[in-house]
Amino acid sequence: MTSWAEVDAEIARWQAQGRSVELWWRDDDAVEATPALERLLTLHQDCDAPLALAVVPARATPGLAERLARAPGVDVLQHGYAHANHAALEDKKIELGSERPAMMVLGELGTGWLALERLFDVRALPVMVPPWNRIAPHLVPALPEIGFRGLSSFGARARPQPVRGLVQINTHVDLIQWKSGRVFVGEAAALDQLVRALSCAREQAAPEPVGILSHHLAMDEPGWDFLKSFWGRIGATPGVRILPARGLFASWEARV
């Protein structure tokens, strides 16, 4: 059972190498101003933790834009187009897959980006977050061609730059157990994901920032409680930097 003591020990290993742990926070599936979103924004503000909100452009409302205009420290990423599943019944859900012509998929993404720019202006970043964290490999090289500069999925990335002009920075700690009732995975499981991701990153010459993934519309009370205590505790831990998506993607783009 992974505990906070093991997290502290892993952070100490980073410090012994003269390095700082870099974390970031992404929350998915935003479409409108809801009580759950308000709770998320309050937590973000109380914990002073930069937040990247993945917004579904085809369903995003002016009310969401109005609310985020009053929420400093929140960056908007593009969450596919409509968060619609196009996979066969027996396959894993995917929107950005090979079931439809590539030009159709890319055309939707371009339309979605125009919608985000119109609603959120400079708060929107040209970073693609594929729904269900899945995107067909043949679509990735085309993302820079339609204006995207970043890609964010889940799990350890294969390389910082999957194609020229595109930086990939993923999330690694999913707080929800999707296959067992969409409940909180539990503190031990969440911390285990964190320690594993940090350990893996520590072995890299250019370590990937470790991302925490939440879903405000699907969180149960234990999940909310953990998220609040996590950011409160980790934010006060020496040797840890919690970075905003805007600076994170810009700095990595400059590096590569």
Side-chain angles (χ1 to χ4, degrees), residues 19-251:
R19 305 157 82 186
S20 295
V21 166
E22 293 185 344
L23 302 179
W24 74 294
W25 180 15
R26 196 186 92 204
D27 185 278
D28 288 0
D29 301 345
V31 294
E32 58 186 338
T34 62
L37 179 74
E38 194 63 37
R39 187 172 185 178
L40 179 77
L41 296 178
T42 299
L43 194 158
H44 144 73
Q45 184 176 19
D46 290 348
C47 296
D48 194 26
L51 172 65
L53 195 62
V55 174
V56 182
R59 297 162 54 195
T61 65
L64 176 63
E66 292 171 6
R67 179 62 187 91
L68 293 185
R70 296 181 281 109
V74 178
D75 292 316
V76 170
L77 314 182
Q78 182 170 339
H79 202 22
Y81 175 65
H83 209 300
N85 177 33
H86 297 284
L89 287 176
E90 65 275 11
D91 294 334
K92 293 182 178 180
K93 293 180 179 181
I94 190 169
E95 180 175 53
L96 311 183
S98 56
E99 297 76 17
R100 300 178 298 157
M103 291 305 295
M104 179 182 295
V105 178
L106 296 171
E108 284 186 350
L109 295 183
T111 299
W113 173 246
L114 292 176
L116 287 192
E117 277 193 311
R118 184 175 64 253
L119 281 172
F120 304 102
D121 196 30
V122 295
R123 190 179 296 267
L125 305 181
V127 175
M128 175 54 53
V129 178
W132 297 286
N133 291 296
R134 300 186 185 106
I135 182 170
H138 73 276
L139 295 175
V140 175
L143 291 179
E145 297 175 10
I146 59 173
F148 290 97
R149 293 293 174 263
L151 173 65
S152 181
S153 185
F154 184 83
R157 64 188 178 188
R159 58 189 68 87
Q161 194 176 29
V163 295
R164 186 175 179 83
L166 193 72
V167 173
Q168 184 165 5
I169 302 176
N170 288 348
T171 55
H172 309 83
V173 181
D174 192 345
L175 302 184
I176 297 179
Q177 192 168 302
W178 296 99
K179 295 181 179 180
S180 301
R182 291 160 57 108
V183 297
F184 176 48
V185 296
E187 179 177 277
L191 296 182
D192 182 65
Q193 292 180 65
L194 176 63
V195 170
R196 289 175 182 270
L198 289 176
S199 178
C200 180
R202 184 166 46 82
E203 299 301 322
Q204 301 167 8
E208 180 180 10
V210 172
I212 310 301
L213 176 60
S214 61
H215 290 75
H216 65 281
L217 294 174
M219 300 275 285
D220 59 12
E221 285 302 317
W224 282 111
D225 290 343
F226 173 82
L227 196 58
K228 182 176 182 178
S229 64
F230 175 82
W231 287 122
R233 176 163 180 168
I234 205 74
T237 301
V240 176
R241 301 169 62 209
I242 306 171
L243 303 176
R246 182 175 302 274
L248 199 54
F249 279 92
S251 65

